[in-house]
């Protein structure tokens, strides 16, 4: 079969740019939109749903809705993966899903922010729930087949690492573009008002994202590069077989802790900037763009270091650095008063750049390696299910993170809750690193290289 040229790799990666923009809008701005802090409310942010811990006295409405969305997302992952693995379309097993999921994903992302009533009401909560579920089903229908292309299009470890590096780069750029949203809506806010300006911004970014997601559909003729056969069996039986892989279970266990901590931290970043550092919300964009630019500097070194020290060792290092970053965040603001707030923010940005690059590249490549080794041992092509099983596990973790964040953020006053969030994220990153210590990368490589 043909190998992807560098140009084709980047055309594939443009699809990741698109869905990363939409994912960034939801992960970075959903809670900020529906559970705004005092700074956002003072700027004119409307309250659409009940605020505070009103469910059982513990959970917030936005936390419960996003958690339920994540659970729904996790449950549908194996189903979509099984449909993709068993697809017999003349266009291939993955490309048809990318083609038809793009528009529903872009549309539902915008609708999430378009609650119909301009004040607090249960109707808005129902609207949010419906379109959150639509969003998660659509992103699963796009991302699970997209990720399954990594081990299929990459015919060896070097090709898979190159693909992972390219899509990691476009993922970071897409997420960074989502962080530019405050700058865009800030330009329109004087004439449109805050809420309308935000919605128009999200719609413009969604149009760009839709176009990007369609690029792989027209650029990649899947069957010219992939010779795998449709898998047999049900979604459940395929999922069970996938979780029988010991190294995969260890990897997923580590990944769960990483994603709980990271999701809590990413959701809290705008609040860390405004509540802990006392800076304007537009500084979130500045910090994230600078962090993105710095992380790109480490992309070549990460690839070089991976070949020398292995994927596992670099990810362990990244876990340790992220734990330090999260712990440092818990102290930002008055606790580090001798350091100007802007400088505190840039210190965090500089420290997080390297682990951001590592986690952007290597976990996808590790799943591709595990999938390849399992295929060689069993003779079954279940690439889609491996990626779905990974997302099934970490999305369940992310649902927990949304419950935790929205509950912990309301503790105390003056940003105390956000400090607790950062501290918990630190502990979770450290735990993820400990779990990964048990991952046997040498065993995986031996199978891929023809051993055992």
């Amino acid at each position: 079969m043909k190998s992807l040229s560098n140009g084709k790799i980047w055309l594939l990666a443009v699809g990741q740019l698109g869905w990363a923009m939409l994912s960034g809008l939801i992960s970075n701005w959903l809670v900020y939109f529906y559970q705004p802090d005092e700074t956002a409310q003072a700027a004119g942010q409307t309250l659409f749903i009940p605020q505070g811990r009103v469910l059982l006295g513990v959970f917030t409405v936005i936390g419960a809705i996003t958690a339920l969305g994540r659970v729904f997302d996790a449950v549908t992952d194996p189903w979509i993966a099984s449909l993709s693995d068993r697809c017999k379309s003349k266009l291939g097993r993955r490309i048809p899903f990318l083609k038809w999921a793009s528009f529903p994903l872009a549309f539902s992302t915008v609708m999430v922010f378009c609650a119909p009533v301009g004040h607090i009401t249960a109707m808005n909560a129902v609207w949010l729930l419906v379109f959150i579920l639509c969003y998660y089903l659509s992103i699963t229908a796009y991302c699970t087949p997209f990720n399954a292309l990594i081990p299929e299009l990459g015919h060896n470890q070097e090709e898979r690492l190159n693909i992972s590096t390219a899509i990691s780069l476009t993922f970071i750029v897409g997420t960074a573009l989502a962080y530019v949203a405050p700058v865009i809506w800030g330009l329109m806010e004087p004439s449109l008002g805050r809420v309308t300006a935000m919605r128009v911004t999200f719609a413009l970014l969604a149009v760009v994202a839709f176009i990007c997601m369609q690029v792989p559909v027209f650029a990649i003729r899947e069957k010219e590069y992939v010779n795998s056969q449709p898998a047999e069996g049900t979604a459940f039986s395929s999922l069970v077989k996938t979780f029988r892989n010991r190294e995969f279970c260890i990897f997923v266990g580590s990944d769960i802790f990483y994603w709980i901590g990271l999701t809590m931290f990413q959701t809290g970043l705008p609040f860390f900037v405004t509540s802990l550092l006392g800076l304007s919300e537009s500084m979130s964009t500045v910090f994230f763009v600078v962090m993105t630019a710095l992380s790109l500097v480490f992309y070549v070194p990460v690839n070089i270091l991976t070949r020398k020290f292995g994927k596992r060792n670099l990810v362990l290092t990244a876990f340790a650095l992220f734990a330090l970053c999260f712990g440092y965040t818990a102290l930002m603001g008055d606790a580090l008063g001798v350091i100007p707030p802007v400088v505190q923010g840039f210190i965090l940005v500089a420290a997080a750049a390297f682990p951001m690059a590592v986690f952007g590249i290597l976990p996808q490549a590790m799943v591709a390696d595990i999938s390849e080794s399992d295929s060689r041992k069993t003779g079954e092509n279940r690439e889609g299910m491996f990626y779905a099983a990974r997302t099934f596990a970490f999305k369940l973790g992310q649902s927990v993170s949304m419950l935790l964040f929205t509950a912990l953020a309301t503790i105390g006053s003056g940003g105390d809750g956000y400090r607790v969030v950062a501290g918990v994220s630190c502990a979770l990153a450290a735990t993820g690193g400990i779990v990964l210590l048990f991952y046997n990368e040498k065993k995986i490589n031996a199978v891929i290289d023809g051993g055992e």
Side-chain angles (χ1 to χ4, degrees):
M1 304 300 291
K2 295 168 59 177
S3 294
L4 282 185
S5 65
N6 288 334
K8 291 288 187 179
I9 288 176
W10 287 108
L11 289 174
L12 172 69
V14 170
Q16 179 107 343
L17 174 67
W19 76 256
M21 291 173 61
L22 301 177
S23 174
L25 293 179
I26 297 296
S27 62
N28 298 328
W29 303 115
L30 178 62
V31 174
Y32 193 73
F33 186 85
Y34 282 105
Q35 189 176 300
D37 60 9
E38 294 179 358
T39 302
Q41 292 182 53
Q45 179 64 45
T46 302
L47 297 179
F48 292 100
I49 61 176
Q51 304 293 295
R53 289 174 284 179
V54 297
L55 299 179
L56 305 177
V58 177
F59 305 118
T60 64
V61 172
I62 184 64
I65 289 175
T66 52
L68 180 60
R70 286 294 186 183
V71 172
F72 174 77
D73 188 19
V75 171
T76 56
D77 269 325
W79 175 58
I80 294 295
S82 180
L83 291 177
S84 179
D85 282 344
R86 293 184 287 119
C87 180
K88 298 179 180 180
S89 169
K90 63 181 181 180
L91 298 178
R93 297 194 296 171
R94 318 301 182 187
I95 292 297
F97 286 84
L98 274 58
K99 179 179 180 179
W100 296 110
S102 299
F103 179 77
L105 175 53
F107 180 76
S108 60
T109 301
V110 178
M111 290 297 101
V112 161
F113 295 97
C114 293
V117 182
H119 57 79
I120 294 176
T121 174
M123 182 182 297
N124 288 336
V126 173
W127 173 283
L128 176 58
L129 175 60
V130 169
F131 281 103
I132 274 289
L133 297 182
C134 292
Y135 162 81
Y136 281 121
L137 178 61
S138 300
I139 199 168
T140 295
Y142 191 94
C143 294
T144 297
F146 183 92
N147 288 330
L149 285 171
I150 299 173
E152 293 181 330
L153 296 175
H155 300 150
N156 54 57
Q157 290 200 53
E158 183 174 355
E159 290 183 5
R160 290 192 290 272
L161 183 59
N162 290 338
I163 294 172
S164 296
T165 300
I167 66 174
S168 169
L169 174 61
T170 52
F171 177 82
I172 290 178
V173 173
T175 306
L177 289 173
Y179 264 104
V180 174
V183 176
I184 302 174
W185 79 56
L187 296 174
M188 296 184 287
E189 198 169 336
S191 58
L192 298 179
R194 181 179 176 84
V195 172
T196 301
M198 294 177 78
R199 288 171 172 168
V200 171
T201 297
F202 298 148
L204 291 174
L205 292 174
V207 170
V208 175
F210 169 73
I211 294 171
C212 290
M213 289 188 292
Q214 285 289 300
V215 170
V217 174
F218 296 98
I220 307 294
R221 295 183 181 275
E222 183 180 334
K223 290 202 170 183
E224 293 182 4
Y225 305 93
V226 180
N227 192 31
S228 57
Q229 298 298 316
E232 301 295 335
T234 64
F236 179 77
S237 65
S238 181
L239 185 64
V240 169
K241 291 178 182 179
T242 300
F243 274 109
R244 285 175 181 167
N245 188 305
R246 176 183 179 276
E247 306 312 318
F248 180 70
C249 289
I250 293 173
F251 171 84
V252 167
S254 171
D255 214 34
I256 289 174
F257 287 105
Y258 163 70
W259 281 105
I260 296 176
L262 182 68
T263 302
M264 289 175 61
F265 185 82
Q266 286 184 328
T267 304
L269 186 57
F271 300 102
F272 300 150
V273 171
T274 57
S275 294
L276 299 187
L277 295 179
L279 302 173
S280 67
E281 63 185 15
S282 62
M283 284 302 296
S284 298
T285 300
V286 174
F287 287 141
F288 194 86
V289 169
V290 172
M291 182 168 63
T292 300
L294 287 176
S295 70
L296 298 181
V297 173
F298 290 108
Y299 266 56
V300 172
V302 165
N303 275 270
I304 295 173
L305 292 171
T306 298
R307 293 181 175 90
K308 184 174 182 180
F309 297 106
K311 301 180 183 72
R312 170 182 172 272
N313 290 336
L314 255 68
V315 174
L316 286 172
T317 302
F319 264 122
L321 291 174
F322 259 147
L324 291 174
C325 290
F326 297 160
Y328 166 80
T329 301
L331 301 176
M332 289 198 313
D334 293 340
L336 300 174
V338 295
I339 305 174
V342 172
V343 176
Q344 291 183 38
F346 280 116
I347 290 174
L348 174 63
V349 163
F354 178 76
M356 184 177 178
V358 171
F359 275 108
I361 298 172
L362 297 187
Q364 293 277 44
M366 291 171 73
V367 177
D369 289 346
I370 295 170
S371 171
E372 173 69 14
S373 68
D374 187 84
S375 178
R376 294 195 178 207
K377 291 171 66 176
T378 65
E380 297 184 39
N381 300 118
R382 290 181 287 107
E383 294 86 356
M385 188 56 71
F386 270 97
Y387 281 95
R390 180 205 178 194
T391 54
F392 174 82
F394 83 65
K395 286 174 183 175
L396 286 176
Q398 285 182 319
S399 68
V400 173
S401 76
M402 297 308 296
L403 287 173
L404 285 174
F405 175 85
T406 53
L408 295 175
T410 61
I411 293 175
S413 59
D416 292 340
Y418 302 129
R419 297 187 193 280
V420 174
V421 167
V424 172
S425 297
C426 171
L428 290 166
T431 304
I434 293 172
V435 173
L436 192 65
L437 287 170
F438 298 93
Y439 176 74
N440 191 340
E441 186 174 36
K442 291 182 179 179
K443 179 180 178 181
I444 296 295
N445 291 339
V447 175
I448 293 175
D449 294 336
E452 300 190 358

